[in-house]
Amino acid sequence: MQTLENRTYDELAIGERASLSHQVEERDLLLFAAVSGDVNPVHLDEDFAAATPFKGRIAHGMFSGALISAAIACELPGPGTIYIGQELSFLRPVRLGDTVTIELEILEKLPKNRVKIATRVLNQYGKQVVDGTATVMAPTEKVSIPRPQAPAVQLG
């Protein structure tokens, strides 16, 4: 059984890193559109998207933001982390079938258990698609729990 284990504020070190990878699928775009309400046809309609500068469908930019959130919540610092802020720059499109890797790096430890984290997203070619910085409140108590399963969701 997989577990989720956090790193407390006191345990975190400048330069510490973690990563998480995800292959972007049709289901991701559909579920993100349903949850967010963002039904921009550049994400959902191939004919429409083909006529854009992207020449095809792309993932929602904030889908990459959601994957960054997952990496922070589940990898570094992990369970118990509270998001304070996030800056993002979208550098390249993420397409269906891309495998993106979220890379986190502890940049700075601030007062009141706050931490600045570099948040980078790279595609399968090693090209950076998103650059950003998160500010979080790191947990102060150690947690190790069984990893919950994501809920099964039916489309349609």
Side-chain angles (χ1 to χ4, degrees):
M1 173 181 276
Q2 290 186 332
T3 60
L4 292 180
E5 186 170 316
N6 67 9
R7 304 271 297 143
T8 66
Y9 178 83
D10 290 338
E11 293 174 319
L12 291 170
I14 306 294
E16 189 170 349
R17 296 173 179 256
S19 65
L20 176 117
S21 294
H22 181 85
Q23 184 172 11
V24 180
E25 301 175 357
E26 175 77 13
R27 176 179 174 82
D28 296 323
L29 273 60
L30 297 176
L31 287 170
F32 195 85
V35 169
S36 69
D38 181 349
V39 293
N40 183 337
V42 76
H43 307 304
L44 303 175
D45 182 322
E46 186 59 47
D47 292 335
F48 178 92
T52 70
F54 301 113
K55 306 289 186 223
R57 291 171 61 200
I58 60 171
H60 302 75
M62 290 310 295
F63 180 69
S64 292
L67 293 175
I68 291 169
S69 177
I72 288 171
C74 296
E75 301 297 328
L76 185 68
T81 301
I82 304 297
Y83 241 114
I84 304 295
Q86 176 76 56
E87 293 179 18
L88 294 172
S89 296
F90 302 101
L91 308 174
R92 290 181 174 79
V94 173
R95 302 183 182 281
L96 283 168
D98 281 357
T99 297
V100 292
T101 300
I102 294 76
E103 295 183 343
L104 306 176
E105 180 183 356
I106 304 296
L107 295 177
E108 186 177 2
K109 291 176 77 172
L110 304 166
K112 298 183 180 178
N113 302 319
R114 284 165 170 67
V115 179
K116 280 209 180 284
I117 303 172
T119 57
R120 302 176 193 102
V121 182
L122 293 93
N123 65 19
Q124 66 272 21
Y125 305 111
K127 302 271 188 186
Q128 190 170 4
V129 296
V130 179
D131 189 31
T133 306
T135 303
V136 303
M137 187 182 315
T140 56
E141 300 204 12
K142 192 72 176 166
V143 173
S144 181
I145 60 171
R147 185 182 189 95
Q149 288 292 322
V153 178
Q154 294 293 331
L155 293 174

